Amino acid sequence: MMSVNETNQTSYAVTGLTVSRYPQCFEDPGNIMSYEARKLNTKILQCGLMPSLFFVGAPTNILSMIVFYRQGLRDRMNLCLFCLAFVDLMYVTAVLGTVSYCFIAVFLPEEEHFWKQTLMKNFLNFVYGFGYSSGWLTMIIATDRCVCILFPMKSATVISTKTMTILLASSILLINILCGVYIIKETVVSTKDDVTGRRVVMLSTTALFLSTDMFSIIENIVLSLISIFCFSVVVLTTSLTIMGLRSAMAWRQSTSSLSPLCSGSSYLKGQTVLMRMLVVVSFIYILCTAPNVALSLARFSDPAFRSDGPNCNVFTATHLFGFLTVMINSSINFFVYLTMSSRFRQELKTFLLGGNISMRSTAVSASKPIR
């Protein structure tokens, strides 16, 4: 992901009490996309699709958290999926906070640009922090399942639930600290236009950010590399998991005639269903993250591909689409669990019907997988 910064401190036009900034690149005749098309694209995504996805992602992630909590967080995978649902909930909430200027503009249209920049300034670090955290947790889950399928006899002792808890918490904290660079980067500035006498509001890069190269390195290199690294690991581990599943299924079929009792083991069946479900989760992540990885590579390979470059309209539109795909990824896992896991469906049904947390959920063992 990459911030969509339309700030241009020397080229703007004032309307009402706020500033409507039209950077020179927006009207550049060399632009593949016109300014009006970019503006329409922004409205559709930020004021239509993204808020709609929040009302899908927020309740479903809350339900997912409740179900995994009821199933027992002492189980390593339940813990991971609980944390993933929490991070995804925070992501869709942060995005809603960023685009809520659309709702404010209904009542205060002249203040739309002021609130747009103010909310971006205050929520962007959370959007990136939880967005990157979601990818990191998906990578941990994919790696854990890959180890389980490749080394089934040793997987239970590779990492304990306590160690996994520390790993998850420290990862989320560290990534959000790195994304704190967006808190430092810009500030909201209000000035008076000398020509019209009206108030002008804009985002301005802070002197602290400009004076320290490390902040720029974190934003443009470190965070992009984290995204590419997570994507690459998920692709690799998911591929290995699929191959391992095929081998395990072939082995089970070959032994079914010799040992029917073994082939009918509920544990093996449960593990197979769990693996398939998590492979689907990883596959959805790959599809939704691929556009952002492509954008990261484009930024590295083409220095002109930037928010104030000759194709800034395309830059803005494509990066907003990248935010949308991450929101889709953060909103859809619940439906995968519901479709593929009978235990998830049963636990959800019990909760919705007012059932209490069972005693077994406080001590879920590896012999009772999600299935």
Side-chain angles (χ1 to χ4, degrees), residues 8 20 35 57 146 166 323 340 357:
N8 187 308
S20 176
Y35 173 74
C146 181
I166 296 173
F323 281 111
M340 302 189 68
I357 301 176

Side-chain angles (χ1 to χ4, degrees), residues 2 132 178 181-182 185 209-226 300:
M2 181 72 173
Y132 285 118
L178 290 174
V181 68
Y182 293 104
K185 182 179 179 180
F209 183 88
L210 294 174
S211 64
T212 308
D213 292 337
M214 182 57 66
F215 295 140
S216 180
I217 292 173
I218 291 174
E219 179 191 15
N220 297 317
I221 299 177
V222 175
L223 293 177
S224 291
L225 289 178
I226 287 176
F300 281 125

